[in-house]
Amino acid sequence: MDSQMVMEGGNNVLVSVSSSGGDESDVVKELMEVIESVGLYSGYRKTQRKECLSLVRRLKLLVPFLEELRELGTSVSGEALNCLDNLRKALVLAMKLLKHCNYGSKIYLALESEAVMSRFLGVYDKLHQALDGMPYDELGISVEVKEQVELMRMQLKRAKKRTDTIDMELAMDMMVVFSNMNDTNADRAILERLAIKLELRTVTDLNQETLAVQKLVKKRAGHNAENIQQIVDLLGKIKQISGLEETTALDGPVKSKILQRCQSSLVPHEFLCPITLEIMTDPVIVSTGQTYERESIQKWLDSNHRTCPKTGQILLHLSLAPNVALKNLIRQWCEKNNIELPKKDPYIGPDGSSTELIKEISFLVENLSSCQLDVQREAVLKIRMLSKESPDNRILIANCGGIPPLVQLLYHPNSKVQEHTVTALLNLSIDEANKRLIAREGAVPAIIQILQNGTDEARENSAAALFSLCTLDDNKVLVGTLNGIPPLVDLLQHGTVRGKKDAATALFNLSLNQANKSRAIQAGIIPPLLQVIEDKNLGMIDEALSILLLLASHPEGQNEIGKLSFVETLVEIIRHGTPKNKECATSVLLELGLNNSSLVLAALQYGVYEHLVEIARNGTNRAQRKANSLLNHMSKCEHLP
């Protein structure tokens, strides 16, 4: 049994890994060690805490099974050992994910919550597969313990199907603060609320987050530099409102120094393969730490060389690890300097099954263009599942050329093919680079068409896909100009509960663009938003008010929203709502009142004054500020002739 060091979230984890010749006792011991180690984690990030604790509880249900297996000491066949080894692999994946959620950057985990949730679903699937077909009789497991493990397996099966919606308030707050990141006077109330939600309130919290972000910067090494810079900036702003000076500087700017240094068309020597002296498209690292083009070093090794070409050192092993950081730097440099790379080989993942996975994905991508419906449907369904499992799979599918044929399948006449396709593209769009590629391939018009005419699930996932794509400002403009807002308004009004929430999230994001505010108002967004507010069972008052607040800053929105009946509704929310409801309603009333004093006087007639005084004393920080501003404005309005 060997031990290998796994890097996760910038932390080292010593994981025992059985060789193919290991026996049952070795594997059982490893399984027990993994479950014991995850039980020691106690600092799960708030955005994933519920999911982490749930996973740990399920893993602990395996303990009686493993203890009984250890006590019996039964000699088992190769098939049983294979089942146990698959369980070990699944548990190692679970441990890496839990460690990431325990030590990773809180801001990053919140920003990438959907991607992290996809990793949880992938772990559930691996665990379920490992337990499915476990030969309990051959292993001599008692009926009682078998039933307990089967119960866990059924829980995993249900967990795989769960479709929890995102934390709308957190998502909206982060969108707002990121969209105004260059504003030195960013809304302090939103920053304070984020600090509370992300548990970044104490000096210890902030110091730990600083270390986590430092490790994230080093690990990413230029990949998704814009996102990482936003995380760094947000951490700095949270520190400022906490009264802390920036004492721990991050290690230089997020963007690579290589990118900043290379202004000319001369290729940096770091980007050249030492063997061919050509720019690398698929750089890999050998055991000496040197980087080569995969094809070149593989030919060297295939010629029975066992030394490093550059240093002459003997290679301790022949494994090739992809240099993902360097590959991303080369891609970014080429884009910046308008240099077209030769056709790139697909990204190779770090696990041993990556070559087989690449073959599988390449085969599936080829089948997307098949003339047979069953072949196409099976291929797109498998790509949908793979794209949900991990960030690496999303990169692999894109690099294997999967996005263009998927975009073409959005126009397929079969509704199930459309549904699987738009969901696959939703999963792929979690990756920042894929967002741009999906839009560039012309997916947006087809997604809007499915949003209008697809199945319920296809419409929901189309709305979610537009939300994901529109985190990029260019795509906000694109969706608006292609008339993507009217079908979102229709989904908000007539969709399922999940559809309404997906539509609201997308509409909020789109309404951050000034031109889209007018489009949303003209599409008739106001009445369904008011219906959402009236329907208490939906639990979407804050979401609807947040969108109305954006629209109230637009002249057309002021005319549409500024009706006496709506003012009365706002006063009722200020009187009886939750603290967050009151904050949102007060903000909307203030925005309307600053542009129309008669609405302020109407609110006074509806009895809002004493409730605003109470909010100014005991409301949330932002609500107090808004209430005080509104009370001050009211005092001026009362003295008007």
Side-chain angles (χ1 to χ4, degrees):
M1 183 171 63
D2 301 323
S3 293
Q4 86 180 31
M5 195 72 73
V6 179
M7 291 298 295
E8 179 66 23
N11 298 285
N12 294 331
V13 187
L14 190 62
V15 180
S16 299
V17 181
S18 290
S19 64
S20 57
D23 59 23
E24 177 208 357
S25 61
D26 289 334
V27 178
V28 172
K29 182 181 178 183
E30 292 171 47
L31 295 173
M32 295 288 285
E33 287 175 352
V34 170
I35 295 175
E36 182 180 351
S37 67
V38 300
L40 299 176
Y41 298 148
S42 59
Y44 295 121
R45 301 331 192 195
K46 190 174 181 180
T47 44
Q48 285 81 29
R49 186 172 298 150
K50 178 181 175 183
E51 209 65 43
C52 289
L53 294 175
S54 177
L55 177 55
V56 171
R57 281 195 298 271
R58 290 184 176 119
L59 294 181
K60 287 182 177 178
L61 291 175
L62 289 173
V63 171
F65 165 67
L66 297 173
E67 288 178 341
E68 188 166 299
L69 199 57
R70 183 175 58 186
E71 291 168 2
L72 288 170
T74 310
S75 177
V76 295
S77 67
E79 181 185 356
L81 269 178
N82 186 53
C83 287
L84 291 173
D85 190 52
N86 287 336
L87 181 58
R88 176 190 62 79
K89 292 176 181 176
L91 284 178
V92 170
L93 282 176
M95 182 185 70
K96 291 174 67 178
L97 177 55
L98 290 168
K99 190 170 186 69
H100 184 44
C101 293
N102 193 74
Y103 294 110
S105 160
K106 295 176 179 179
I107 299 174
Y108 175 78
L109 286 167
L111 189 63
E112 298 290 327
S113 58
E114 289 189 68
V116 177
M117 187 62 210
S118 294
R119 290 181 63 186
F120 273 102
L121 295 177
V123 167
Y124 295 153
D125 188 52
K126 295 294 184 186
L127 286 168
H128 182 267
Q129 289 179 20
L131 294 172
D132 191 23
M134 183 70 70
Y136 298 105
D137 294 339
E138 181 183 335
L139 294 170
I141 300 302
S142 65
V143 174
E144 180 184 357
V145 171
K146 176 183 175 182
E147 288 177 349
Q148 185 172 345
V149 177
E150 284 298 294
L151 173 63
M152 175 200 172
R153 192 172 68 85
M154 294 308 297
Q155 290 176 349
L156 291 168
K157 187 175 182 180
R158 287 196 297 271
K160 288 195 300 175
K161 297 179 180 179
R162 193 175 68 248
T163 54
D164 289 346
T165 54
I166 62 173
D167 183 333
M168 288 281 289
E169 179 182 281
L170 179 62
M172 287 181 174
D173 281 347
M174 294 193 78
M175 277 193 293
V176 170
V177 79
F178 283 144
S179 66
N180 297 320
M181 191 56 77
N182 294 326
D183 181 2
T184 55
N185 298 313
D187 194 321
R188 183 183 179 92
I190 294 180
L191 291 171
E192 288 176 346
R193 189 159 61 234
L194 282 174
I196 292 170
K197 270 187 166 287
L198 298 177
E199 297 179 336
L200 295 172
R201 303 181 68 185
T202 68
V203 174
T204 301
D205 291 338
L206 291 166
N207 285 340
Q208 289 176 349
E209 180 69 6
T210 299
L211 291 174
V213 172
Q214 285 178 335
K215 291 173 182 176
L216 180 66
V217 170
K218 291 178 181 177
K219 182 181 178 183
R220 289 308 175 105
H223 182 57
N224 284 350
E226 184 177 345
N227 273 9
I228 301 300
Q229 189 64 56
Q230 286 183 324
I231 292 170
V232 173
D233 292 343
L234 177 54
L235 176 57
K237 287 185 179 292
I238 291 176
K239 284 186 173 185
Q240 287 175 9
I241 66 166
S242 301
L244 296 178
E245 295 294 329
E246 187 67 65
T247 55
T248 309
L250 293 167
D251 294 341
V254 175
K255 293 185 178 179
S256 166
K257 293 176 182 176
I258 294 174
L259 285 177
Q260 294 178 355
R261 189 171 66 236
C262 300
Q263 301 297 326
S264 70
S265 59
L266 295 176
V267 180
H269 72 275
E270 297 95 335
F271 296 174
L272 302 177
C273 173
I275 297 175
T276 64
L277 296 181
E278 295 177 351
I279 191 167
M280 291 181 279
T281 61
D282 189 15
V284 294
I285 305 171
V286 298
S287 66
T288 59
Q290 299 297 320
T291 297
Y292 300 89
E293 174 66 22
R294 178 182 294 278
E295 183 179 1
S296 302
I297 190 63
Q298 192 62 60
K299 287 180 180 178
W300 171 266
L301 297 175
D302 290 345
S303 301
N304 292 321
H305 292 101
R306 294 298 178 262
T307 57
C308 173
K310 188 173 183 179
T311 66
Q313 293 175 272
I314 295 176
L315 297 172
L316 299 178
H317 57 77
L318 304 183
S319 299
L320 303 177
N323 193 333
V324 184
L326 182 59
K327 185 174 182 178
N328 285 324
L329 290 177
I330 293 172
R331 175 181 56 79
Q332 291 170 0
W333 181 85
C334 288
E335 289 176 356
K336 183 177 180 180
N337 291 278
N338 296 318
I339 293 175
E340 186 174 353
L341 275 172
K343 185 174 177 61
K344 294 187 271 188
D345 291 330
Y347 168 87
I348 303 290
D351 56 281
S353 64
S354 59
T355 303
E356 294 179 8
L357 182 59
I358 290 169
K359 290 179 181 177
E360 179 187 2
I361 290 175
S362 298
F363 177 72
L364 292 173
V365 169
E366 185 178 339
N367 284 348
L368 291 175
S369 302
S370 171
C371 297
Q372 301 177 38
L373 174 60
D374 289 345
V375 173
Q376 281 184 312
R377 188 161 49 199
E378 182 180 1
V380 73
L381 177 59
K382 286 185 177 179
I383 285 179
R384 171 183 175 175
M385 295 298 104
L386 286 169
S387 65
K388 184 173 70 172
E389 284 183 3
S390 72
D392 286 347
N393 283 359
R394 289 188 276 277
I395 297 172
L396 253 177
I397 292 167
N399 286 344
C400 284
I403 289 177
L406 282 171
V407 171
Q408 292 303 311
L409 282 181
L410 290 171
Y411 296 98
H412 199 285
N414 184 276
S415 61
K416 271 296 175 186
V417 171
Q418 286 186 355
E419 182 182 306
H420 293 323
T421 303
V422 77
T423 309
L425 288 170
L426 164 62
N427 296 336
L428 290 170
S429 72
I430 294 171
D431 181 83
E432 200 71 14
N434 287 349
K435 283 182 173 64
R436 302 181 191 279
L437 183 56
I438 290 168
R440 194 161 61 237
E441 288 294 328
V444 172
I447 293 173
I448 292 171
Q449 187 174 327
I450 294 173
L451 179 63
Q452 292 172 309
N453 305 311
T455 64
D456 283 346
E457 184 176 349
R459 294 181 72 204
E460 293 162 2
N461 290 338
S462 295
L466 291 179
F467 163 73
S468 178
L469 292 172
C470 288
T471 55
L472 300 180
D473 288 340
D474 289 347
N475 289 343
K476 289 185 181 74
V477 176
L478 181 63
V479 172
T481 55
L482 290 173
N483 293 319
I485 291 176
L488 284 170
V489 172
D490 182 73
L491 185 62
L492 178 66
Q493 186 165 18
H494 302 295
T496 62
V497 173
R498 182 186 164 197
K500 290 177 186 290
K501 293 188 175 183
D502 287 331
T505 311
L507 286 165
F508 176 87
N509 203 354
L510 284 163
S511 297
L512 293 171
N513 176 275
Q514 187 69 11
N516 284 341
K517 293 177 185 178
S518 178
R519 294 187 179 104
I521 294 162
Q522 292 170 12
I525 191 175
I526 306 299
L529 285 175
L530 298 181
Q531 291 172 13
V532 166
I533 291 173
E534 292 295 330
D535 189 347
K536 304 297 190 294
N537 294 326
L538 281 176
M540 292 175 58
I541 292 176
D542 295 337
E543 291 88 334
L545 288 174
S546 296
I547 298 171
L548 287 169
L549 178 60
L550 290 175
L551 301 179
S553 65
H554 192 281
E556 293 179 59
Q558 293 158 15
N559 294 332
E560 286 284 330
I561 301 169
K563 310 292 185 186
L564 292 181
S565 58
F566 180 56
V567 172
E568 187 175 10
T569 299
L570 288 177
V571 173
E572 281 300 305
I573 295 172
I574 290 170
R575 181 182 290 125
H576 299 299
T578 66
K580 176 62 176 169
N581 291 164
K582 293 178 180 180
E583 175 190 313
C584 292
T586 303
S587 300
V588 175
L589 185 57
L590 174 62
E591 186 68 38
L592 292 173
L594 290 174
N595 294 285
N596 189 340
S597 297
S598 64
L599 298 179
V600 174
L601 297 174
L604 285 169
Q605 290 177 352
Y606 290 129
V608 76
Y609 185 83
E610 61 183 88
H611 302 290
L612 288 177
V613 171
E614 175 62 23
I615 292 173
R617 290 174 183 161
N618 301 312
T620 65
N621 289 339
R622 182 168 181 252
Q624 287 180 19
R625 183 160 56 84
K626 297 293 184 181
N628 280 318
S629 296
L630 188 50
L631 287 168
N632 183 52
H633 184 61
M634 283 177 170
S635 66
K636 296 177 182 177
C637 291
E638 287 181 309
H639 293 94
L640 289 175

